[in-house]
């Protein structure tokens, strides 16, 4: 007899009994080995970034399997708000998705539709063929799929900040993730995530989403900024990335053991 199984907890489940801000990080390398190393670090979740990372379906699947052996929740950011991509990521067994560049309620509703089977949505039915249902070993998966999935949409433009309350109010949106980098760019402040106007936009979005009864998080690699957003009510904070940690760590190692005179030609001054 085959095993009857349920998928692991979804991202939304982390907030059911949380008495603190949830902390996680990006996994951007596309490498399952690095994902597994990060999975054992003790963070609440890992955010596999298929928007900016060099990833196809096979590498995302490998990372989901690597993370599954550890008590941390896998979240995947899809490249685009596209129903075909969302269907494929869900069928891979990615239960918790972040959809980027959602600027208004209509786009939020499109994301919701892509996440759900008819009649609520337009997700294609392939549970017998897919890891999401463990090839139909999850009892009554088609009727229970909503239990297992989490939809987070990303607010990362001045337009989206203005529409944050309406976006968060859309039925089927579980939470909102704020991206200060793209928000700053949309405000004409490229690379200035800590500009007061950007910070104000982030905090206003946190307040609007919380007022709508949804959970809200933000990307903040600088600890002081992360602490500020936690104090403002953020329910989760993305505090780092595998590639950034590797870059800064190897730079620090080289700085300790490679003299300035021995640096390769063309090495930047920030070495």
């Amino acid at each position: 007899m085959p095993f009857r199984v349920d998928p692991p907890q979804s991202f939304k489940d982390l907030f059911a009994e949380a008495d603190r801000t949830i902390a996680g990080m990006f996994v951007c390398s596309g490498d399952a080995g690095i994902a597994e190393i990060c999975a054992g670090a003790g963070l609440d979740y890992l955010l596999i970034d298929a928007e900016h990372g060099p990833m196809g379906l096979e590498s995302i699947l490998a990372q989901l399997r690597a993370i599954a052996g550890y008590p941390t929740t896998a979240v995947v950011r899809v490249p685009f708000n596209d129903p075909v991509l969302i269907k494929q990521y869900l069928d891979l067994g990615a239960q918790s998705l972040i959809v980027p560049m959602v600027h208004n309620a209509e786009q939020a509703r499109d994301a919701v539709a892509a996440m759900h089977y008819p009649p609520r949505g337009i997700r294609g039915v392939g549970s017998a063929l897919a890891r999401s249902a463990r090839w139909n070993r999850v009892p009554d998966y088609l009727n229970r799929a909503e239990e297992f999935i989490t939809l987070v949409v990303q607010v990362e433009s001045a337009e989206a900040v203005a529409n944050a309350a309406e976006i968060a109010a859309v039925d089927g949106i579980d939470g909102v993730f704020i991206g200060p980098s793209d928000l700053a760019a949309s405000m004409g402040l490229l690379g200035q995530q800590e500009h007061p106007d950007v910070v104000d936009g982030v905090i206003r979005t946190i307040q609007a989403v919380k007022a709508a009864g949804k959970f809200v998080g933000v990307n903040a690699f600088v600890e002081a900024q992360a602490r500020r957003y936690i104090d403002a009510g953020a329910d989760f904070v993305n505090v780092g990335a595998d590639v950034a940690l590797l870059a800064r760590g190897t730079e620090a190692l080289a700085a300790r053991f490679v003299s300035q005179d021995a640096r390769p030609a063309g090495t930047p001054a920030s070495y």
Side-chain angles (χ1 to χ4, degrees):
M1 293 291 292
F3 291 110
R4 307 299 288 181
V5 297
D6 274 351
Q9 71 175 0
S10 188
F11 191 45
K12 63 188 177 187
D13 299 327
L14 293 178
F15 302 95
E17 299 179 358
D19 57 359
R20 60 173 175 80
T21 302
I22 301 301
M25 63 177 283
F26 276 126
V27 179
C28 303
S29 68
D31 183 86
I34 291 178
E36 184 171 5
I37 292 169
C38 295
L43 292 162
D44 297 299
Y45 70 90
L46 296 182
L47 175 45
I48 301 169
D49 186 18
E51 182 186 15
H52 294 295
M55 301 181 199
L57 295 175
E58 292 84 357
S59 64
I60 294 168
L61 176 59
Q63 290 172 85
L64 290 171
R65 285 173 168 161
I67 295 168
Y70 296 84
T72 190
T73 299
V75 183
V76 179
R77 181 161 69 176
V78 301
F80 183 65
N81 187 3
D82 178 86
V84 175
L85 287 174
I86 290 172
K87 173 183 65 178
Q88 290 181 300
Y89 283 53
L90 290 172
D91 283 348
L92 285 179
Q95 298 166 233
S96 307
L97 298 186
I98 292 182
V99 176
M101 294 292 179
V102 171
H103 305 300
N104 54 56
E106 181 180 0
Q107 293 173 349
R109 286 189 287 270
D110 289 342
V112 172
M115 294 284 287
H116 293 277
Y117 292 122
R120 183 176 185 184
I122 59 172
R123 178 183 176 184
V125 179
S127 59
L129 312 175
R131 182 174 179 267
S132 57
R134 300 305 188 268
W135 305 276
N136 271 353
R137 289 173 180 159
V138 176
D140 197 28
Y141 178 82
L142 292 177
N143 292 312
R144 299 175 59 209
E146 292 185 15
E147 297 176 24
F148 309 125
I149 61 173
T150 299
L151 173 59
V152 178
V153 294
Q154 191 152 345
V155 166
E156 48 187 334
S157 68
E159 177 188 357
V161 169
N163 294 326
E166 294 180 8
I167 291 170
V170 170
D171 184 34
I173 300 298
D174 295 298
V176 168
F177 183 46
I178 307 165
S181 295
D182 280 297
L183 174 58
S186 78
M187 299 170 69
L189 299 166
L190 184 64
Q192 301 180 58
Q193 294 92 300
E194 297 185 33
H195 189 283
D197 291 346
V198 178
V199 173
D200 177 68
V202 172
I203 291 176
R204 286 191 288 114
T205 302
I206 290 172
Q207 293 169 343
V209 176
K210 299 278 282 188
K214 308 295 177 67
F215 63 80
V216 59
V218 61
N219 197 54
F221 289 4
V222 177
E223 183 173 353
Q225 200 70 69
R227 299 290 180 189
R228 180 170 186 175
Y229 293 142
I230 290 170
D231 291 342
D235 298 297
F236 70 99
V237 180
N238 211 58
V239 294
D242 57 347
V243 290
L245 291 169
L246 183 59
R248 302 295 84 77
T250 52
E251 289 164 4
L253 185 66
R256 292 199 301 273
F257 290 98
V258 180
S259 68
Q260 184 171 0
D261 293 339
R263 293 176 185 172
T267 301
S270 61
Y271 186 93

